[in-house]
Amino acid sequence: MGRTSDAGSRILGAARSLIELRGYSALGVAEICKTAGVPKGSFYYFFDSKETLALAVIDEHWAAQQRDWERVLGSDDVPLQRLRRLFEETEAAQRAGQAARGTVSGCMFGNLTLELSNQTDAIRSRLQQIFDAQVDMVEGVISEALRQGAVSVAGTRAAARSVVAQLEGQVLFAKLYNNPARLDALWDDCLALLGAHPSRPAGGHAT
């Protein structure tokens, strides 16, 4: 992204809204600028290419999502309750999007992975970094739960990847079926995946 201004911010916001609704590949610069309410010629003043714009949209979206994940997964709740809260907030966000737009938008990162990861190394690399960061955060929570005896996993890294993949997959199904209720199974599936002990609550304290 080039110089920052209100026009550049409007282009970025328009691109994000359009990508959430329809994906990225079919969008043209003219449509993005029209939606943003800026002259078409101003696009390349702020962005070198559509790829540069896509990376800026990804970075902006991740900055907001990362703050949310850090708030939830870094809270004082017992470890697995933090994961449950993450699932609940994810479902709530998908329901809010459906109420506002009429359709479940899914995960921007998952959507762009399917659409663009084979087209550009820069975008694929950025998405890999984001999913790795998500796995890092989830692994931290699983490691705490393991130390407390609340779960049984052979490897925390592999378990964290599985949790993130399960979350991403259920969001994909919610988008496909336009039904956020597809996320309802996440918690029970997560407990089974992590080998959560039924004799203990999610935080690992004995009953």
Side-chain angles (χ1 to χ4, degrees):
M1 182 174 177
R3 292 162 286 273
T4 301
S5 78
D6 182 57
S9 297
R10 292 205 304 272
I11 291 172
L12 186 61
R16 176 174 175 175
S17 296
L18 290 169
I19 287 171
E20 288 177 342
L21 286 172
R22 294 183 15 233
Y24 178 79
S25 297
L27 296 179
V29 170
E31 181 182 8
I32 294 170
C33 291
K34 181 179 179 180
T35 302
V38 301
K40 179 181 177 180
S42 65
F43 179 89
Y44 292 103
Y45 181 85
F46 300 102
F47 302 96
D48 295 332
S49 64
K50 280 186 63 181
E51 178 184 285
T52 304
L53 174 60
L55 289 168
V57 169
I58 289 169
D59 287 346
E60 181 189 58
H61 190 69
W62 172 234
Q65 188 184 92
Q66 186 176 29
R67 287 192 295 270
D68 289 338
W69 279 48
E70 289 174 343
R71 170 180 52 80
V72 173
L73 297 182
S75 74
D76 293 330
D77 290 338
V78 291
L80 291 188
Q81 286 296 338
R82 299 177 211 164
L83 284 180
R84 186 172 193 173
R85 176 69 66 180
L86 178 67
F87 299 158
E88 290 172 346
E89 292 201 5
T90 299
E91 181 175 353
Q94 295 299 322
R95 290 188 180 279
Q98 184 186 46
R101 295 183 288 269
T103 59
V104 174
S105 60
C107 170
M108 178 182 288
F109 306 131
N111 296 343
L112 290 176
T113 294
L114 294 173
E115 184 181 4
L116 296 178
S117 63
N118 291 330
Q119 299 181 31
T120 161
D121 288 340
I123 290 176
R124 179 170 61 248
S125 177
R126 190 69 54 84
L127 291 169
Q128 287 174 349
Q129 292 168 6
I130 289 169
F131 282 119
D132 285 344
Q134 291 180 353
V135 171
D136 287 343
M137 285 187 274
V138 171
E139 184 181 15
V141 174
I142 293 173
S143 295
E144 286 188 54
L146 183 63
R147 288 194 296 270
Q148 294 178 8
V151 301
S152 300
V153 293
T156 56
R157 189 68 178 177
R161 287 196 189 99
S162 295
V163 170
V164 172
Q166 183 182 82
L167 175 59
E168 194 66 33
Q170 292 290 11
V171 171
L172 176 64
F173 278 133
K175 176 180 174 67
L176 176 64
Y177 292 95
N178 195 33
N179 182 6
R182 290 277 171 167
L183 294 162
D184 289 347
L186 268 173
W187 178 236
D188 288 339
D189 290 347
C190 179
L191 292 179
L193 187 155
L194 297 176
H197 299 300
S199 61
R200 300 179 182 181
H205 303 294
T207 55

